[in-house]
Amino acid sequence: MPHHRLFLQALLSLAISLNFSAIAKAQTGEETALPSFRVMSFNIRQGAANDGKNSWPQRRELLLKTIKTFSPDLLGTQETQRMQADFLQAQLPDYQYVGKSRTPNNRADEQCAIFFRRDRFVDLEQGHFWLSKTPRVPGSKSWDSSLPRIATWVRLFDRKTKKEIFWINAHFDHEGEIAREQSAIIIRDQIERLSNSPSIVTGDFNASVSSKPHQILLRPGNPITLVDTYSTLHPTASKNEGTFNGFRGFRGSQRIDWILASTDFTVRKAMIVTDHDDDRYPSDHFPVTAVLSLPAK
């Protein structure tokens, strides 16, 4: 009997130890954590703009610090001029860059640039299309668009999940209401044409979450249905969730910068980053972020 008692005590002690270990892991999120990655979408405000104390040379270090603090695995930027892309490439050597000017005869013009971590993702394919009636024609614009608008896409292999991810980064026109609606249709068409993988769409859409472009992008699709990552975790809209700040820190209710993800992903976190240094802001937009997870194969 003493031996049985000692054996039972040992089993009980082991069970308690394992239980405490499980609790500790649960508290740190370690236990059954799926592979996750961090996404940031950031309109960085074109560097040639005459913004006085907020000009690009005066704020680029703050912008870089904002990016590094979040440390995204996937970073999509808008209004990115060549000099800004060069700066980010030099300062973010762990990332691979994909970008192209929206106007073919002006290499310095704006891009919708993509940066992704080399140690996490493999570049399988990449490309660009224009938000116009002729998406394959460089520099084209249509409807009431004030400027040519470009979208950049990549197909990536995720080393952790062993799955492919399709990602589009875009910037919709700031004036043309019809152009924004049509641009949303083009994005949907491109996803359906190019992707049968878990998909992400990032960008400055110059439209609120109650707008037609948002509704078009989130409509049920085949094979891809997108969700708004921020709305998924913050379903009640707030009067302080605006993402355009005009370098003044103003936060209205218009969330015009979005991270959309297909329903393959689980949305772990979604935030609007309002980091600043006293009265200085890294851009006239707040970056938006999300942490997404995807089951491994």
Side-chain angles (χ1 to χ4, degrees):
M1 287 296 278
H3 293 295
H4 287 295
R5 203 163 34 243
L6 287 172
F7 179 69
L8 289 172
Q9 286 175 344
L11 279 179
L12 179 60
S13 183
L14 177 62
I16 291 171
S17 173
L18 289 174
N19 188 47
F20 277 128
S21 175
I23 291 170
K25 286 184 177 181
Q27 288 174 340
T28 59
E30 182 187 341
E31 76 294 6
T32 55
L34 294 171
S36 64
F37 55 86
R38 303 161 73 82
V39 186
M40 174 179 270
S41 182
F42 202 165
N43 181 323
I44 65 172
R45 174 63 170 167
Q46 54 148 315
N50 183 16
D51 289 327
K53 71 173 186 177
N54 298 309
S55 64
W56 173 246
Q58 304 301 315
R59 61 184 174 86
R60 66 182 188 177
E61 295 298 333
L62 179 57
L63 184 138
L64 181 66
K65 179 183 176 183
T66 304
I67 293 171
K68 286 185 172 182
T69 297
F70 181 70
S71 188
D73 299 291
L74 304 177
L75 167 65
T77 65
Q78 303 88 39
E79 285 195 33
T80 313
Q81 293 185 304
R82 184 72 220 189
M83 63 174 173
Q84 294 171 294
D86 290 345
F87 171 79
L88 291 175
Q89 278 185 277
Q91 299 299 318
L92 300 171
D94 295 334
Y95 293 77
Q96 184 168 330
Y97 151 80
V98 181
K100 187 175 186 176
S101 170
R102 66 187 179 187
T103 51
N105 59 347
N106 182 2
R107 185 172 176 270
D109 202 2
E110 293 180 19
Q111 311 172 10
C112 286
I114 276 176
F115 299 84
F116 59 88
R117 286 194 181 275
R118 303 173 192 273
D119 62 350
R120 174 71 186 263
F121 300 99
V122 179
D123 182 9
L124 299 177
E125 193 178 5
Q126 56 179 259
H128 308 271
F129 57 87
W130 277 258
L131 303 177
S132 74
K133 292 179 180 178
T134 52
R136 299 285 170 262
V137 178
S140 57
K141 66 173 186 171
S142 304
W143 310 292
D144 52 354
S145 185
S146 62
L147 295 162
R149 297 292 182 175
I150 193 172
T152 301
W153 62 269
V154 290
R155 194 186 315 279
L156 303 173
F157 176 74
D158 181 0
R159 300 178 198 270
K160 285 192 176 181
T161 63
K162 310 301 181 187
K163 290 184 177 180
E164 290 185 15
I165 293 172
F166 181 72
W167 173 23
I168 295 177
N169 183 42
H171 188 185
F172 285 11
D173 197 71
H174 65 298
E175 291 185 359
E177 184 176 349
I178 297 171
R180 289 192 293 272
E181 292 177 19
Q182 293 297 322
S183 294
I185 293 171
I186 291 169
I187 295 285
R188 288 289 333 187
D189 289 346
Q190 293 298 319
I191 291 173
E192 289 168 13
R193 190 177 73 83
L194 294 170
S195 176
N196 56 3
S197 308
S199 298
I200 298 169
V201 179
T202 56
D204 171 5
F205 298 90
N206 277 307
S208 73
V209 295
S210 61
S211 67
K212 270 195 170 182
H214 193 266
Q215 294 166 12
I216 291 167
L217 286 167
L218 267 60
R219 75 186 181 201
N222 184 18
I224 301 298
T225 296
L226 299 171
V227 299
D228 184 311
T229 57
Y230 190 84
S231 295
T232 298
L233 298 188
H234 310 276
T236 303
S238 163
K239 63 180 181 181
N240 291 317
E241 69 176 34
T243 54
F244 178 76
N245 66 64
F247 291 117
R248 302 185 307 277
F250 170 77
R251 293 191 68 183
S253 61
Q254 300 300 304
R255 183 164 56 84
I256 63 175
D257 301 87
W258 316 327
I259 296 173
L260 312 179
S262 62
T263 50
D264 310 270
F265 296 99
T266 299
V267 183
R268 300 294 180 187
K269 294 182 181 179
M271 291 177 56
I272 300 166
V273 178
T274 60
D275 293 5
H276 58 283
D277 184 4
D278 292 329
D279 64 343
R280 296 179 58 249
Y281 290 81
S283 177
D284 62 348
H285 285 242
F286 293 123
V288 294
T289 64
V291 177
L292 307 177
S293 64
L294 193 62
K297 277 190 175 180

